[in-house]
Amino acid sequence: MDELREVTVTPGRYTTYHYAGASGDFNPIHLDDEFARSVELPSKILHGLWTMAQVARAQTDVVGDPLALKSLSVQFRGMGVPEQDIVITSKLKSQENGEAVFDCEAVQDGNKLVRRGKAVVRVTGSS
């Protein structure tokens, strides 16, 4: 298992609309640029839980099993926007008894969206 991994995700122009439909979160700060600017945001912003889901996916894609994620905790810090790369970094902290523990974060254009993430992933073939 790699000790340091990076995954880049680029949310599309309509990602916030798709996620709103899936999550039921239709807050206009995620859907309407004009409204978002009226409340002093740079533009419509990504849903934090969408960003967290990308962090989760980055952990499980490496082992090829979405059910391998045993737990994930994060702190939300920054606001992400569509159409800009998000780099998810995961550092292996420990691996024993069939579990790997990673520190993880998500950064967009130098802005930490998620920090102090901790993921516990079930791994096979480890001691």
Side-chain angles (χ1 to χ4, degrees), residues 3-121:
E3 296 215 3
L4 178 63
R5 292 179 281 128
E6 282 190 359
V7 174
T8 300
V9 177
T10 307
R13 168 181 261 185
Y14 300 108
T15 294
T16 58
Y17 296 98
H18 297 154
Y19 191 77
S23 68
D25 180 354
F26 292 94
N27 187 321
I29 63 173
H30 301 299
L31 304 173
D32 183 333
D33 279 326
E34 187 174 320
F35 179 83
R37 287 187 187 101
S38 77
V39 293
E40 302 182 11
L41 296 173
S43 66
K44 63 184 176 190
I45 61 172
L46 298 170
H47 296 78
L49 291 178
W50 179 87
T51 305
M52 183 178 176
Q54 303 315 302
V55 173
R57 189 177 70 166
Q59 309 310 309
T60 59
D61 277 358
V62 111
V63 294
D65 180 4
L67 298 177
L69 184 63
K70 294 185 73 176
S71 65
L72 175 65
S73 62
V74 301
Q75 289 184 356
F76 295 108
R77 289 298 176 201
M79 294 178 286
V81 295
E83 301 184 273
Q84 291 185 20
D85 289 349
I86 298 171
V87 177
I88 300 164
T89 303
S90 304
K91 294 180 186 174
L92 180 63
K93 298 303 289 183
S94 66
Q95 183 173 346
E96 62 184 348
N97 299 325
E99 291 184 354
V101 178
F102 294 91
D103 286 342
C104 43
E105 66 179 20
V107 178
Q108 185 181 54
D109 195 26
N111 180 25
K112 288 188 179 182
L113 308 181
V114 167
R115 70 177 199 168
R116 295 186 182 173
K118 180 180 176 184
V120 178
V121 179

